Amino acid sequence: MSITSHNTTAKDRDFTKEISKLSKSLDKYNEQAKIIEKNKTEIQKKESITSLKSEIKLREEIKNSGNELLIKAQENSDKLALSKISMTAIGEFKPSQLRAINNIIMLSDKINSKPEWLQEKGILRVPGNNKDIESIAKVMNEGSDQEIKNILMKNDSHHDIFGLIKNQFGLALTDLEKSRICNFSINHENRIAEDNYRLPSIIKLPLSLQKLMPLLINIDKNKEINKMDAQNIAMVLAPRIATLEPGKGEQIKEMKEIGAQTKIIENFLAAIINHHSRIQNRKLPEVPSHSKKELAPLNTSHLQASGNLEIFV
């Protein structure tokens, strides 16, 4: 019996050693996999930075070349690319992103029912209560429409609601939408001084930004009171759109690139919010009083004579 017990103990010991060995090998494999994935991500980030720099440089060279054919070809290429993106954009949305867009609409309706919120100083910029925002966001991302309506009715903090707007806008944006806004922004940066340059209409913007624009315009309309003009609004939103992210390469250089991209996006957002806000603030010209003529009474004597007046009764 003692021999059997000894053999069993030895086998258990060997088995434990084997498990320990396999466990260490697995840990080593997982660590290597993480390093490979990390390196892959950093390479992609560097490639994005290099690609953006090359694109900006190429556009600048074409713009400064003075070659009208090249400049026209670049403009046509931009239009074609944006057209293709626009046609396929809806298919790029995940269900969670479409839900976030619907949430933006519901939150905007909540704000429109409280117009005094738009006059609060620093609205959209001042953060709300993070804990409350997270709990409401959870319901908005997972709950039914009725549950969302119920929780929005209970919360009456304007800063929380505007915090949710920023939260849902970040969730709604697809990589393709971010890319489109970057393209619009680069085009704006390169062509703003041209006489024939026109900002895009709201309907040509990516869907997430389209649905948010009416609210942004209303915030800008109250800028004299809330101190949130188009530029301040753009400063809040631009970092959520920027496609470049910091890696672990040349950190200072990367941060400069990210800062440059964010500023280009910020300038475009400010321009388009300000542009459409001014359009909506325009007043229709009044009709001059001298052009208003009194209508002469209808002469019906000839109808009475013929007995045909009854057809007008």
Side-chain angles (χ1 to χ4, degrees):
M1 291 292 293
S2 60
I3 295 173
T4 304
S5 176
H6 176 74
N7 288 342
T8 303
T9 304
K11 285 180 181 179
D12 288 345
R13 195 181 297 117
D14 290 342
F15 185 66
T16 303
K17 283 181 181 178
E18 188 64 27
I19 290 176
S20 177
K21 186 179 176 182
L22 289 170
S23 180
K24 286 178 181 177
S25 297
L26 182 61
D27 288 342
K28 190 176 180 181
Y29 172 80
N30 287 335
E31 285 176 13
Q32 288 176 340
K34 285 179 183 177
I35 291 168
I36 291 169
E37 189 61 34
K38 194 175 182 181
N39 290 340
K40 183 180 174 183
T41 304
E42 287 179 6
I43 289 169
Q44 287 174 342
K45 286 173 182 175
K46 286 179 181 178
E47 286 176 351
S48 295
I49 292 170
T50 304
S51 175
L52 181 66
K53 285 174 69 179
S54 300
E55 185 177 355
I56 292 172
K57 186 179 178 182
L58 179 61
R59 287 170 181 267
E60 196 63 34
E61 286 175 355
I62 290 173
K63 182 182 175 183
N64 295 332
S65 69
N67 188 320
E68 292 183 8
L69 287 174
L70 271 179
I71 294 169
K72 193 68 180 174
Q74 180 65 57
E75 289 175 7
N76 290 336
S77 175
D78 290 345
K79 287 177 184 177
L80 182 61
L82 290 175
S83 173
K84 286 180 179 177
I85 290 170
S86 178
M87 289 168 62
T88 58
I90 196 69
E92 295 293 325
F93 285 99
K94 297 175 183 175
S96 59
Q97 290 167 324
L98 289 172
R99 186 182 182 103
I101 291 173
N102 186 57
N103 290 341
I104 289 172
I105 296 168
M106 293 181 74
L107 289 165
S108 297
D109 288 343
K110 167 82 174 180
I111 293 165
N112 288 334
S113 71
K114 306 262 186 182
E116 65 275 12
W117 285 4
L118 295 168
Q119 299 185 344
E120 290 290 335
K121 192 173 180 180
I123 204 65
L124 194 69
R125 186 184 72 243
V126 178
N129 183 300
N130 285 335
K131 190 175 178 181
D132 290 343
I133 290 172
E134 285 175 9
S135 65
I136 299 172
K138 183 175 175 62
V139 175
M140 296 199 83
N141 297 336
E142 300 172 8
S144 65
D145 281 355
Q146 191 55 52
E147 287 173 329
I148 295 171
K149 287 176 183 175
N150 290 342
I151 199 165
L152 289 180
M153 283 181 67
K154 290 176 185 175
N155 188 293
D156 225 22
S157 166
H158 48 276
H159 289 311
D160 286 356
I161 300 300
F162 276 91
L164 282 161
I165 282 279
K166 292 183 284 185
N167 170 279
Q168 294 300 308
F169 180 60
L171 293 175
L173 282 167
T174 67
D175 290 340
L176 188 59
E177 285 197 311
K178 288 181 180 181
S179 178
R180 285 187 68 200
I181 296 172
C182 285
N183 285 340
F184 276 128
S185 302
I186 292 170
N187 190 46
H188 173 74
E189 188 79 6
N190 290 335
R191 299 189 58 204
I192 189 171
E194 296 177 13
D195 292 337
N196 63 342
Y197 172 65
R198 297 290 180 270
L199 284 159
S201 61
I202 291 176
I203 201 168
K204 289 185 178 178
L205 296 173
L207 189 60
S208 302
L209 189 54
Q210 272 186 45
K211 299 305 178 185
L212 192 59
M213 276 296 290
L215 177 62
L216 303 181
I217 290 167
N218 282 336
I219 295 172
D220 180 71
K221 284 180 180 177
N222 288 273
K223 62 191 171 190
E224 298 299 328
I225 301 171
N226 63 31
K227 307 303 178 187
M228 287 296 290
D229 61 10
Q231 195 69 43
N232 286 332
I233 295 168
M235 285 175 67
V236 174
L237 297 180
R240 290 171 168 79
I241 299 169
T243 55
L244 300 180
E245 297 177 2
K248 274 199 169 183
E250 300 174 41
Q251 220 167 16
I252 295 174
K253 190 177 178 182
E254 282 187 2
M255 291 306 292
K256 285 181 179 178
E257 295 293 339
I258 294 165
Q261 188 195 43
T262 303
K263 188 63 182 175
I264 289 171
I265 295 169
E266 181 187 314
N267 290 341
F268 168 69
L269 289 178
I272 200 158
I273 293 167
N274 188 49
H275 172 69
H276 289 290
S277 180
R278 282 190 289 109
I279 287 175
Q280 292 191 18
N281 274 336
R282 285 179 189 164
K283 292 182 180 179
L284 291 173
E286 291 186 6
V287 179
S289 57
H290 61 76
S291 67
K292 297 176 183 177
K293 296 182 179 180
E294 292 289 333
L295 292 175
L298 181 65
N299 185 357
T300 61
S301 58
H302 63 290
L303 296 174
Q304 289 174 347
S306 63
N308 292 331
L309 184 61
E310 61 192 51
I311 64 172
F312 286 89
V313 178

